[in-house]
Amino acid sequence: MLAVTAGAMGAGAVLTLVVVKLAGMGAACLAILLGAFLVRALLRKQWRGTTSEEAAEATSSEWDYIIVGGGTAGCVLANRLTKGPAGKDKRVLLLEAGRGDYDNKLVQIPAGILRLFQSDFDWHFYTSNEKATSGRGIYLCRGKCLGGSSCVNVTLYTRGDAHDYDTWEKDFKCTGWSAAEVLPHFRRTEDDQIGLYKTDPKHHGSGGEMSVDNVRYQNPLSAKFLEACKQAGHKLNPDFNCWDSPQTGAGRFAVSQRNGARCSAASALLAPALAEATRGLKVLTGVLARKVVFKGTKTTGVQFSVEGVDFTANLKKGGEVILAGGAIHSPQLLMLSGIGPAEHLKSHSIPVISDLSGVGQNLQDHPAAAVAFECPEDYRGISVTSAIRIAGTSIPHPWPLINWFVNGSGPLTSTGCDHGGFFTTEAAPANSSSADLQMRFLAARAVSADGMRSFTSFKKTTRHPDGFTFQAIAARPESRGRVLLASAQPETNPVIEGGFLTHKQDVASIRAGLRLARKLAQQPALKPYAGREVFPGESVQTDEQLDEYIASSVHTANALVGTCRMGELSDPLSVVDPEMRVKGVQGLRVVDASVIPKLPGGQSNSCVVMIAERAAASSLAFRGNEATGARLTDPGGPQLPRTLLAPARAGFPHRGMAIVAVIV
């Protein structure tokens, strides 16, 4: 007998599954039955949005801070602005348009990302008016829940290199944002599980809220990839986040996970803050921000709607509204509120509060293209996709699920792309000191040349041949896009012009990456596993053919930034100053990925956490709290008790299902 007991958080219900292996029932039938039951348990809906009565109560008093957007930055801000002596008397209202169930099992299980793209946890954005992508709009996944995109990303924790942040200060005049000055803010939140803190405390932190680890699983093909890189003459890099050595090399990417579970900004920072009843923190979910409210140029509050009813949350005297909606929603809300390019606002009959031409401009993302190989028949079952599903079905195999619940290990701890590297290719700019290419290796065969489509279609694919895939990413892109209003109604998604591949440098770096992928596949370590080249196909060889393939298959690596960028006040395209205060008004900041002037060569989530850490220190200092002013240069201080950093997996009835498996 196999008994599986699951206690569902919030509802208090207990789901008991008892599967008895009846006479004549084969192992495959038993596995399918158990897998179906487990999946159904994982998909149980347990979320309820804010009611109009709750919204009315929240707007009956005034707030020190109103944070619009409960994503990565919003969660960090909610924690820091209500923490310790500096935050003990602060009242903070956090408004989130998306869901509240960041603790859903599909979010906690890293491999659950295969069911999160284009789900209720995703805004389902697409770009338009693309000039260099064969007429295609590019799908953009953005998290639609507390925790934002930290709940739907691939969990990679790579900061970029020191030159990225020195560039912010030198080229964009962002005083206080050099590598040396931002590094303490990275360290403060980090809780290193790999062991790097012991040997390199300069670059790593211990005891913070965001756990950083290696994935607790390594597919044999991933190990072969690292061997192939060595055979091709590339060094192995044990730490992509050490700024005392070059970023280049191959290795395992660090991930934001604790005990094999996703460590999102919501689970790591918001949940502990909400657990402390003494904090003045209120969170509303499922609410739509309509506009920031002004009296002249002074910010007074935020108008939002719940269940079709409009409400206005008001600030206390000296309070601040902080926009943390990300690179799409923050510029949209600024423009809806009258801050942006004057002519564009007038075309939508929006009164102009502050004419800032940079709002919505400077959109950046990491463009990517893939090379995929199918393994020979002799290696059937080697890919991670074969390990996590029952052969010939779309049903997850129960044993990896049980392994994750019980041990926090196995293939479900991987989002698929946790091995790879950074490389300086022949296409890199001559004056660049940083890698122009990030390569991600996936121990799975792509089912589409468009890498994001491979993820979104996986749950519907019943036949998934074994193989492996290289994803070539322009690590420091030069192409730029923009965000525009489609209408003056916040319910209407904005126009997103991604500008993918509009700069030839990005195409050249990706092309070099595709050639590098082919070279690595022919190294002795990988060659036995490299059967038919599925994408782009052996017939695609010339630069012109590769460029056409890139244009027809380019996809996002999910790092949207830049649309409310920082800069000095005299910069005509800056939207906020180096303290993230919006130009031309008082009491309004933007704190999220949109303030990034130039995208670092790494994943953006750790960078956004750092930005929010610095912003919280800046805001508290600005409001006259001398005790926290020092945090602008030294964001140390007390950490959360270890009891509040509980695993997001076993032994946690407050966090989700508790699984007990008994085999007789």
Side-chain angles (χ1 to χ4, degrees):
M1 176 184 292
L2 173 65
V4 181
T5 302
M9 175 188 176
V14 176
L15 173 66
T16 302
L17 305 177
V18 179
V19 181
V20 181
K21 187 175 181 182
L22 301 174
M25 176 179 282
C29 293
L30 181 65
I32 291 174
L33 181 59
L34 180 55
F37 274 129
L38 286 172
V39 170
R40 186 173 182 179
L42 292 176
L43 294 176
R44 290 170 64 92
K45 295 184 181 295
Q46 304 171 17
W47 171 72
R48 177 186 67 80
T50 296
T51 65
S52 56
E53 289 79 8
E54 291 167 332
E57 180 183 358
T59 55
S60 63
S61 57
E62 296 179 331
W63 301 88
D64 293 287
Y65 297 98
I66 302 172
I67 304 170
V68 184
T72 298
C75 289
V76 177
L77 290 165
N79 182 301
R80 296 299 188 238
L81 294 175
T82 59
K83 183 179 181 180
K88 67 177 182 178
D89 296 323
K90 300 294 187 294
R91 300 192 71 244
V92 176
L93 177 64
L94 176 63
L95 305 177
E96 166 56 37
R99 302 168 62 93
D101 53 341
Y102 58 87
D103 54 352
N104 185 291
K105 281 294 163 290
L106 289 179
V107 174
Q108 290 188 13
I109 298 174
I113 193 173
L114 294 166
R115 290 180 176 269
L116 292 175
F117 289 160
Q118 296 184 346
S119 72
D120 291 341
F121 289 88
D122 180 8
W123 281 98
H124 293 250
F125 288 131
Y126 276 86
T127 69
S128 58
N129 303 325
E130 295 289 352
K131 299 177 181 179
T133 63
S134 300
R136 297 178 305 122
I138 306 300
Y139 161 58
L140 306 174
C141 175
R142 296 287 89 190
K144 192 178 182 180
C145 61
L146 289 172
S149 293
S150 73
C151 290
V152 297
N153 64 12
V154 292
T155 75
L156 301 190
Y157 184 92
T158 50
R159 302 169 178 168
D161 66 14
H163 182 262
D164 290 322
Y165 300 97
D166 288 339
T167 297
W168 291 11
E169 182 168 68
K170 179 181 178 181
D171 293 356
F172 297 94
K173 311 303 180 188
C174 295
T175 304
W177 291 89
S178 68
E181 290 167 296
V182 302
L183 184 56
H185 297 283
F186 276 113
R187 287 200 309 262
R188 181 183 186 197
T189 321
E190 183 182 2
D191 187 18
D192 169 57
Q193 305 293 315
I194 302 171
L196 298 171
Y197 171 74
K198 294 180 180 178
T199 57
D200 186 13
K202 174 183 175 181
H203 292 99
H204 296 282
S206 179
E209 295 88 348
M210 295 291 290
S211 174
V212 180
D213 203 351
N214 282 329
V215 168
R216 294 179 161 196
Y217 167 79
Q218 186 180 52
N219 186 274
L221 289 172
S222 299
K224 294 296 183 182
F225 161 76
L226 297 181
E227 289 183 38
C229 288
K230 288 179 63 178
Q231 292 166 347
H234 299 284
K235 65 169 182 149
L236 297 186
N237 189 337
D239 181 9
F240 293 110
N241 294 312
C242 175
W243 290 348
D244 286 342
S245 58
Q247 188 187 31
T248 51
R252 304 184 72 164
F253 294 129
V255 293
S256 297
Q257 294 184 18
R258 188 180 293 279
N259 295 332
R262 177 187 294 274
C263 185
S264 72
S267 63
L269 287 135
L270 183 62
L274 289 172
E276 295 184 28
T278 56
R279 296 205 192 197
L281 175 61
K282 180 70 174 180
V283 178
L284 305 183
T285 58
V287 304
L288 179 66
R290 307 195 70 82
K291 65 178 181 180
V292 180
V293 181
F294 297 95
K295 183 176 182 180
T297 59
K298 181 181 178 181
T299 307
T300 61
V302 176
Q303 185 185 94
F304 64 94
S305 58
V306 175
E307 298 178 337
V309 180
D310 288 349
F311 298 89
T312 298
N314 294 305
L315 289 173
K316 288 183 178 180
K317 182 179 180 180
E320 292 186 339
V321 168
I322 304 177
L323 304 190
I328 305 301
H329 283 122
S330 284
Q332 181 192 25
L333 188 57
L334 281 178
M335 289 187 281
L336 291 172
S337 306
I339 299 174
E343 293 305 313
H344 182 55
L345 300 185
K346 291 175 183 177
S347 71
H348 291 284
S349 301
I350 297 173
V352 178
I353 303 294
S354 180
D355 179 10
L356 296 180
S357 59
V359 175
Q361 304 298 309
N362 194 47
L363 177 64
Q364 300 164 60
D365 194 6
H366 283 139
V371 176
F373 293 87
E374 189 168 315
C375 287
E377 191 67 19
D378 291 347
Y379 297 102
R380 177 186 293 182
I382 193 171
S383 292
V384 65
T385 45
S386 294
I388 64 176
R389 295 207 304 196
I390 298 170
T393 76
S394 60
I395 299 175
H397 200 289
W399 308 131
L401 279 168
I402 293 172
N403 188 20
W404 182 85
F405 276 113
V406 176
N407 302 313
S409 62
L412 294 185
T413 63
S414 174
T415 58
C417 56
D418 42 78
H419 286 63
F422 289 88
F423 304 89
T424 300
T425 73
E426 65 273 14
N431 60 348
S432 174
S433 62
S434 301
D436 65 313
L437 176 76
Q438 182 182 15
M439 182 81 78
R440 296 178 184 171
F441 179 83
L442 296 88
R445 203 211 84 171
V447 296
S448 167
D450 180 333
M452 289 299 289
R453 191 172 299 147
S454 287
F455 273 84
T456 58
S457 63
F458 178 80
K459 57 190 174 185
K460 302 176 184 177
T461 305
T462 57
R463 181 184 177 275
H464 201 126
D466 290 279
F468 56 91
T469 303
F470 300 88
Q471 187 186 40
I473 303 167
R476 293 172 168 86
E478 296 295 337
S479 299
R480 298 291 183 267
R482 61 180 182 173
V483 174
L484 301 169
L485 291 178
S487 82
Q489 299 303 315
E491 293 86 354
T492 304
N493 282 344
V495 175
I496 306 168
E497 297 179 352
F500 283 85
L501 307 180
T502 51
H503 196 289
K504 63 181 181 180
Q505 176 61 57
D506 300 349
V507 180
S509 292
I510 295 173
R511 185 198 314 128
L514 300 183
R515 295 194 188 281
L516 175 61
R518 285 172 163 171
K519 179 181 178 181
L520 293 175
Q522 295 308 308
Q523 299 303 309
L526 273 177
K527 189 171 183 178
Y529 305 93
R532 177 173 67 96
E533 181 180 305
V534 183
F535 304 114
E538 294 181 0
S539 63
V540 180
Q541 293 292 334
T542 68
D543 284 359
E544 292 75 15
Q545 290 172 329
L546 287 170
D547 291 354
E548 183 178 351
Y549 168 73
I550 293 168
S552 66
S553 65
V554 68
H555 51 278
T556 175
N558 290 311
L560 299 172
V561 306
T563 49
C564 301
R565 77 164 175 83
M566 286 188 292
E568 59 184 348
L569 289 174
S570 61
D571 183 342
L573 290 179
S574 68
V575 177
V576 299
D577 70 8
E579 300 306 325
M580 293 161 278
R581 295 171 294 204
V582 177
K583 292 161 55 175
V585 296
Q586 299 80 49
L588 178 63
R589 299 187 196 230
V590 179
V591 180
D592 55 32
S594 70
V595 305
I596 294 174
K598 185 171 175 59
L599 180 59
Q603 282 53 68
S604 57
N605 194 69
S606 62
C607 179
V608 173
V609 173
M610 175 275 292
I611 288 170
E613 285 279 16
R614 191 188 182 286
S618 174
S619 181
L620 288 169
F622 179 74
R623 298 201 56 191
N625 193 314
E626 297 179 359
T628 58
R631 289 172 57 197
L632 287 169
T633 55
D634 180 18
Q639 302 293 337
L640 280 177
R642 302 298 296 182
T643 53
L644 290 179
L645 298 175
R649 188 188 47 78
F652 55 161
H654 64 290
R655 292 289 309 276
M657 292 183 179
I659 296 293
V660 179
V662 181
I663 301 177
V664 179

